[in-house]
């Protein structure tokens, strides 16, 4: 066992605090990663605070992990010591179901093993990236190309793949009109990626306060959804709308913006149900869908795409002692656009 420094939640409502956790011994097919940077995702907050179901404590969140391979198991063939690597939202799956065999491990039928708050093959609760090291089976570790700085790469392991996957699946590209709802951690990545894919990109945000940023990041147009005129002017416009907001929105209003055969795809995951009028879908053969991260193969594809197009996340680098403040700022939408923890600042828990 390797004992490492971490930052952990001890209860749903308490601040996170320094902790130590044990990582398993490196097995034949395992990779030990020295974590350099860990992104803060809104999912971390939802999970720790029990908004997506009961959590087990202490819990170390974090599934946007970028680091360097420190050790490999005797049978590892995919990675080598010194390699720049990443780990995203899952660290294993059954590998045998139809979806896993198709490279869609995120849709593993028995259920994949989450990077944190999951149950590993050893029966223990998995602990995430707010820590200095992690041990992961080689098949769930991806290579981070040299063209992306490690700190800006960390959020790509969730925010990047969460938006890349639906954009690719629903055919974002030249001649396609794509809208992104919300310009936050997910939304800003969706804008960058959709623009690089060649789509005409529109941001639909509650206000115009981030308009300059949106246009700088690659949007062609920017509208405020608080203005009713937006929905009149853009009715029937978009082939694809990616909703990145983790709060309830008026789905019917956004569906009205879809063209014939258009799709509204949710990647934001609000804890409460949302209603949709079936006729708003039926009358123009529109679709309302959801999308989860991406499989390991697609995640590697996304990283290679981002390196080719010079895409990284817009980040604010913080020390471990700023994590709790950062969480509050995430809840207040006060981040442009992703907090990333410098894990070198993780210190041992006080005795």
């Amino acid at each position: 066992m390797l004992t490492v420094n971490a930052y952990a939640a001890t209860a749903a409502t308490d601040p996170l605090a320094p902790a130590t956790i044990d990582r398993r011994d490196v097995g034949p097919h395992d990779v030990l990663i020295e974590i350099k940077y860990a992104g803060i995702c809104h999912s971390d907050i939802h999970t720790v605070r029990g908004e997506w179901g009961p959590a087990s404590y202490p819990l170390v969140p974090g599934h946007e992990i970028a680091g360097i391979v420190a050790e490999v198991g005797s049978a590892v063939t995919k990675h080598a010591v010194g390699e720049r690597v990443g780990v995203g939202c899952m660290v294993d799956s059954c590998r045998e179901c139809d979806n896993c065999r198709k490279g869609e491990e995120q849709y593993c039928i028995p259920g994949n093993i989450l990077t944190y708050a999951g149950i590993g093959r050893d029966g223990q609760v998995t602990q995430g990236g707010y820590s200095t090291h992690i041990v992961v089976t080689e098949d769930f570790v991806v290579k981070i190309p040299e063209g992306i700085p490690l700190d800006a790469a960390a959020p790509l392991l969730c925010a990047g793949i969460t938006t890349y996957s639906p954009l690719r699946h629903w055919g974002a590209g030249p001649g396609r009109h794509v809208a992104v709802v919300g310009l936050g951690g997910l939304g800003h990545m969706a804008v960058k990626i959709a623009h690089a894919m060649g789509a005409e990109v529109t941001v639909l945000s509650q206000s115009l306060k981030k308009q300059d940023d949106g246009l700088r990041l690659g949007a062609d147009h920017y509208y405020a959804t608080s203005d009713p005129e937006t929905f009149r002017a853009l009715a029937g416009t978009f082939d694809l709308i990616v909703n990145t907001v983790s709060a309830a929105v008026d789905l019917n209003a956004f569906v009205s913006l879809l063209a014939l055969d258009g799709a509204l795809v949710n990647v934001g995951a609000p804890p409460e149900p949302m209603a949709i009028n079936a006729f708003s879908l039926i009358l123009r053969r529109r679709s309302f869908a959801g999308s989860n991260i991406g499989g390991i193969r697609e995640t590697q594809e996304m990283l290679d795409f981002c390196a080719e197009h010079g895409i990284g996340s817009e980040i604010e680098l913080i020390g471990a002692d700023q994590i709790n403040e950062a969480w509050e700022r995430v809840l207040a939408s006060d981040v442009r656009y992703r907090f990333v923890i410098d894990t070198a600042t993780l210190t041992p828990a006080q005795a």
Side-chain angles (χ1 to χ4, degrees):
M1 288 284 189
L2 175 67
T3 300
V4 305
N5 296 333
Y7 234 68
T10 55
T13 55
D14 290 348
L16 278 69
T20 56
I21 57 173
D22 291 330
R23 295 300 191 185
R24 71 174 185 261
D25 292 331
V26 175
H29 292 280
D30 285 337
V31 175
L32 171 65
I33 300 167
E34 181 184 354
I35 300 173
K36 297 296 187 180
Y37 301 100
I40 292 178
C41 178
H42 204 147
S43 300
D44 301 343
I45 303 173
H46 284 306
T47 303
V48 164
R49 297 192 172 176
E51 293 170 355
W52 288 346
S56 177
Y57 307 97
L59 180 61
V60 176
H63 57 206
E64 296 181 337
I65 298 169
I68 304 295
V69 176
E71 183 183 343
V72 298
S74 59
V76 168
T77 60
K78 297 181 179 180
H79 303 285
V81 171
E83 206 171 75
R84 292 156 42 97
V85 293
V87 176
C89 300
M90 54 186 173
V91 291
D92 211 339
S93 71
C94 81
R95 313 193 197 195
E96 297 177 352
C97 70
D98 288 346
N99 293 346
C100 285
R101 290 181 181 276
K102 293 174 184 175
E104 303 278 11
E105 299 94 345
Q106 74 275 32
Y107 301 120
C108 175
I109 293 170
N112 56 55
I113 297 175
L114 299 176
T115 304
Y116 66 90
I119 303 297
R121 291 179 181 267
D122 59 2
Q124 301 299 308
V125 175
T126 56
Q127 305 288 356
Y130 295 15
S131 58
T132 57
H133 296 76
I134 191 169
V135 177
V136 181
T137 181
E138 65 172 325
D139 292 334
F140 282 74
V141 177
V142 291
K143 301 177 190 293
I144 296 177
E146 290 291 340
I148 312 172
L150 273 184
D151 53 0
L156 301 182
L157 278 302
C158 176
I161 187 58
T162 296
T163 50
Y164 179 89
S165 188
L167 288 167
R168 182 178 180 275
H169 182 81
W170 275 274
R176 300 278 283 175
H177 296 269
V178 174
V180 177
V181 182
L183 192 69
L186 292 174
H188 92 285
M189 290 307 313
V191 169
K192 285 189 171 194
I193 292 169
H195 173 75
M197 288 178 169
E200 183 173 330
V201 184
T202 298
V203 173
L204 301 173
S205 185
Q206 193 169 11
S207 73
L208 298 178
K209 68 180 182 180
K210 297 180 182 177
Q211 183 173 20
D212 290 346
D213 278 2
L215 298 176
R216 173 179 62 83
L217 294 170
D220 299 288
H221 315 284
Y222 200 108
Y223 290 87
T225 56
S226 56
D227 182 356
E229 180 57 30
T230 291
F231 292 91
R232 288 191 287 270
L234 298 178
T237 296
F238 300 108
D239 302 299
L240 173 63
I241 301 174
V242 179
N243 177 24
T244 71
V245 176
S246 290
V249 300
D250 184 349
L251 292 179
N252 296 300
F254 287 104
V255 166
S256 74
L257 304 182
L258 293 172
L260 178 68
D261 290 326
L264 169 60
V265 181
N266 245 58
V267 295
E272 64 272 19
M274 295 186 292
I276 193 164
N277 184 340
F279 280 102
S280 64
L281 301 174
I282 292 168
L283 294 180
R284 293 197 182 178
R285 203 164 55 200
R286 296 158 166 159
S287 302
F288 175 55
S291 180
N292 192 10
I293 51 170
I296 298 303
R297 181 178 58 213
E298 188 176 44
T299 301
Q300 187 64 63
E301 177 186 298
M302 175 274 304
L303 288 168
D304 295 341
F305 177 90
C306 287
E308 179 184 350
H309 292 275
I311 295 173
S313 182
E314 306 284 309
I315 68 167
E316 182 174 335
L317 193 63
I318 64 169
D321 61 351
Q322 298 172 279
I323 290 173
N324 290 302
E325 176 190 352
W327 276 31
E328 294 305 317
R329 286 180 57 191
V330 169
L331 293 173
S333 299
D334 178 25
V335 53
R336 297 193 179 181
Y337 282 91
R338 206 65 155 183
F339 287 115
V340 172
I341 304 162
D342 179 355
T343 59
T345 64
L346 289 167
T347 56
Q350 296 298 314

